[in-house]
Amino acid sequence: MDFAPTEEQAAAQGLAARIFADLSTPERLAVAGTGTDAELWKELCAAGLTASVEETGLLGLVLLLEEQGRTTAQVPFAVSCLYGLLAVAGHGTGEQRERLLPALRDGTAVATGAFPARGGIRAGNPDPDDAGRLSGSVPYVPWLRDADLVLVPDRERRLWIVRTAGPGVLTEPVETTAPWSAARLVLDGAPGERLGGAGAYEAVLAAGRTAFAGLQAGVCAGSLARAVAHANTREQFGRPLSTKQGVLLRAADAHMDTEAIRVTAYEAAWRHDAGLPCGPQALTAAWWASEAGKRVVHTGQHLHGGTGADLDHPVHRHFLWGRQLDAYLGSGGEVLQELGESLVKEETE
C-alpha cells in the first residue's frame, strides 16, 4: 500500500494549488455569492485539470479536491469529475464515452449527481417503451444550477443520465449551508439514458464518499491553517494565544482529526484505483469526514474567538462547508450503521 503520489498526480496537485491560491481569494468569493466562479472554472479546465482525472484516477481527484477545500473555491470540480468524467469512463458504453467525455474533459459540459438515492425517483411503468421516463423529485442537488447533465439513481438504484435542459426537467434554486449553486430537481416523465449495470450505483457512491472526504480534508486543513495563523499573531495578556496550553491541545487534536480524514480517503482511493474492494474503506473515510470534520471546523471557529463569530470572516466559510460535508452522502451515524451492516454481511458470507 503506497499513498505517495505519482509524478503526474503531484504535478496536477501543485498546479491546482497555485490556481486555487491565486484566484480563489476571499474577495472573489464574496463577489461570487452563492454561485460558481465562472472565470476560475475556465482556468482550471484550460489548465487540463479536469481532463487529468482520467489519468490520475480517484486518488488524483482526492488530491485536487484537497486543494479546492483549502480555499473553499466555488467551482463544480468534484461533481463534474465524479458524476460525469469518472462515472462515464468507468461505467459507460463505448458510444457513451465517445459522445460524452470530450465535453466533460474540457469543461464545456458540467455534470452533477442526485446522490445518495433516497427513493424519490421512479423510472418507467409497466409499458417497456416508457422504461426510460423518470418522475419524482430530489430536494437538493449540489451545483445543479451549473449542470448540463445530472446522474440520477432511481428507487431500484439504477443510474440514469438526464439532461437538465430536456423535457420534463425542472430545477428550482435552493440555498444550503454551503454556497454550492444547489437546486431542487423535479422530473415529470423526463427521458433518461441508462448508465452501467448492476453495482454501478454502489461503485459511484463509494467513489463519491471518498472524493468528498478528500474535499473535507482540504476544508479542515484550510480552517486549521487560518486558526494557527490567528493564534500566532493574536496576543492575550502580552503573550500570543498559541502559547496557551488549551489552544495548543485544541489545535493538535484538530490536526490529528484532519490527518485521519486524509489518510482514510487516500486508502479508499488507492484501493479503488488498484481495482480492490473499497466499500468499507469508503464508508470509513466518510465517517471520519463527518465526525472529525465537524470537530475541526468548530475548532477553527473557536480558536478565532470573537472574530470567528463574524459571518464575513474567511474562517466562517470553512465552517459552513465543513457542516455541509458532514452530512452529504450520509451523516456519521448513517454511514456507521451501513458499515456495520456490510461487515456483518461479509462475515456471514
Side-chain angles (χ1 to χ4, degrees), residues 51-76:
S52 73
V53 172
E54 273 189 281
E55 298 297 325
T56 59
L58 184 57
L59 182 54
L61 178 58
V62 166
L63 293 171
L64 297 179
L65 292 179
E66 272 194 78
E67 302 307 325
Q68 179 183 0
R70 290 180 201 277
T71 61
T72 60
Q74 290 177 198
V75 286

Side-chain angles (χ1 to χ4, degrees), residues 172-343:
E172 303 171 340
V174 296
E175 299 299 334
T176 63
T177 303
W180 288 356
S181 296
R184 180 170 181 256
L185 178 66
V186 180
L187 303 178
D188 185 10
E193 176 183 353
R194 275 297 302 275
L195 181 72
Y201 168 80
E202 289 76 14
V204 173
L205 179 59
R209 284 169 164 160
T210 303
F212 278 96
L215 184 61
Q216 181 74 302
V219 169
C220 290
S223 175
L224 182 57
R226 291 188 181 279
V228 169
H230 176 80
N232 282 333
T233 56
R234 178 74 170 180
E235 290 192 357
Q236 187 180 68
F237 305 116
R239 295 170 56 196
L241 287 175
S242 59
T243 63
K244 311 293 184 182
Q245 188 178 46
V247 173
L248 289 170
L249 292 174
R250 200 69 196 277
D253 286 343
H255 171 74
M256 294 305 296
D257 273 338
T258 301
E259 289 302 300
I261 300 170
R262 177 182 288 114
V263 73
T264 53
Y266 284 7
E267 181 187 8
W270 179 85
R271 291 182 65 88
H272 174 278
D273 293 343
L276 300 172
C278 60
Q281 287 76 17
L283 287 166
T284 301
W287 183 85
W288 276 105
S290 177
E291 296 297 315
K294 74 179 73 169
R295 288 196 297 267
V296 174
V297 295
H298 274 273
T299 294
Q301 290 276 96
H302 188 197
L303 293 185
H304 276 79
T307 306
D310 182 358
L311 301 185
D312 294 323
H313 194 281
V315 77
H316 190 66
R317 296 182 58 83
H318 292 271
F319 176 77
L320 295 178
W321 276 56
R323 290 314 310 258
Q324 185 78 41
L325 287 165
D326 129 42
Y328 180 56
L329 299 182
S331 67
E334 289 175 315
V335 297
L336 186 61
Q337 179 179 350
E338 191 175 336
L339 176 59
E341 291 172 350
S342 71
L343 293 176

